[in-house]
């Protein structure tokens, strides 16, 4: 072994010394880009197929929401907000407000999807955030309890948006073919 610890797999990439350090964090960040790309592409395609369809807004705002999450994950915006004096609870409440607003405005669209996959992903993400807030002393246990659920949360979220966008584009395409 080259002196690496399990916790190094979830190390923040900016501080990684070698490619295998922060491997799972980088994997998580790559997975965060999947919903953004899929939703943006689907929105562009759907806007071409059915320009004035109301469901297009759901896909657009899903792209914006997941894009915001990706930017936060890469640039660590929440850490800068905390450094500016905004309490961690305040930052968490701000993000919860944005997420709740999304859920409220698009509740009808969400109910027509397998939203349980998205809820499972969000639940795992909140679990990981909770573990991070505990500041456990054992670095390996802390890293695994935070990193593994966070990774699986993004797998769920990426799968959810891939599936929803696939069905959305297929439905739009078949409407045109059938008419």
């Amino acid at each position: 072994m080259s002196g690496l610890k399990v916790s190094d797999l979830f190390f923040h990439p900016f501080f990684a010394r070698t490619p295998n350090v922060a491997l799972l964090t980088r994997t998580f960040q790559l997975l965060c880009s999947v919903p953004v790309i899929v939703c943006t592409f689907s929105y562009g395609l759907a806007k071409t197929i059915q320009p004035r369809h109301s469901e297009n807004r759901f896909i657009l705002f899903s792209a914006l929401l997941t894009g915001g999450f990706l930017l936060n994950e890469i640039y660590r915006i929440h850490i800068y907000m905390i450094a500016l004096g905004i309490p961690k609870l305040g930052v968490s409440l701000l993000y919860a407000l944005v997420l709740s607003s999304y859920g409220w405005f698009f509740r009808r669209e969400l109910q027509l999807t397998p939203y349980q996959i998205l809820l499972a992903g969000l639940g795992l993400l909140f679990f990981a955030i909770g573990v991070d807030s505990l500041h456990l002393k054992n670095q390996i246990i802390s890293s695994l309890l935070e990193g593994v659920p966070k990774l699986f949360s993004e797998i769920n979220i990426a799968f959810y948006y891939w599936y929803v966008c696939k069905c959305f584009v297929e439905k739009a395409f078949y409407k045109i073919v059938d008419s």
Side-chain angles (χ1 to χ4, degrees):
M1 196 81 181
S2 63
L4 295 176
K5 300 177 290 231
V6 172
S7 61
D8 289 343
L9 293 171
F10 292 106
F11 204 61
H12 196 272
F14 293 137
F15 306 115
R17 299 167 301 285
T18 59
N20 58 340
V21 173
L23 175 69
L24 295 177
T25 300
R26 285 188 172 103
T27 303
F28 172 77
Q29 289 177 339
L30 284 172
L31 283 170
C32 286
S33 68
V34 170
V36 181
I37 294 167
V38 168
C39 289
T40 303
F41 178 78
S42 299
Y43 173 74
L45 196 57
K47 193 171 178 196
T48 303
I49 295 172
Q50 49 188 11
R52 303 216 188 279
H53 200 268
S54 62
E55 286 182 358
N56 291 357
R57 287 182 308 125
F58 172 63
I59 301 300
L60 173 63
F61 280 92
S62 296
L64 293 172
L65 179 75
T66 56
F69 182 76
L70 174 64
L71 287 175
N72 182 67
E73 183 58 34
I74 291 172
Y75 296 109
R76 314 299 280 178
I77 295 167
H78 62 284
I79 293 174
Y80 292 113
M81 292 170 73
I82 292 169
L84 290 172
I86 301 170
K88 190 172 190 172
L89 180 61
V91 173
S92 298
L93 289 174
L94 175 66
Y95 287 167
L97 178 66
V98 170
L99 189 60
S100 298
S101 297
Y102 169 81
W104 175 261
F105 287 116
F106 296 109
R107 63 188 174 279
R108 288 183 201 99
E109 289 85 353
L110 287 165
Q111 288 174 342
L112 297 173
T113 68
Y115 64 90
Q116 296 86 351
I117 298 168
L118 182 61
L119 290 178
L122 292 173
L124 287 167
L125 182 62
F126 288 132
F127 176 82
I129 292 168
V131 168
D132 181 47
S133 300
L134 294 175
H135 303 291
L136 300 174
K137 294 192 190 296
N138 187 327
Q139 188 70 22
I140 293 172
I141 299 291
S142 174
S143 181
L144 289 174
L145 282 177
E146 179 188 353
V148 172
K150 194 173 175 184
L151 186 63
F152 280 107
S153 77
E154 196 54 40
I155 290 170
N156 278 1
I157 293 168
F159 175 73
Y160 170 79
Y161 282 111
W162 169 81
Y163 180 78
V164 166
C165 288
K166 175 185 152 301
C167 291
F168 176 73
V169 170
E170 284 177 349
K171 183 176 148 185
F173 179 73
Y174 289 130
K175 278 184 183 178
I176 287 182
V177 170
D178 290 340
S179 59

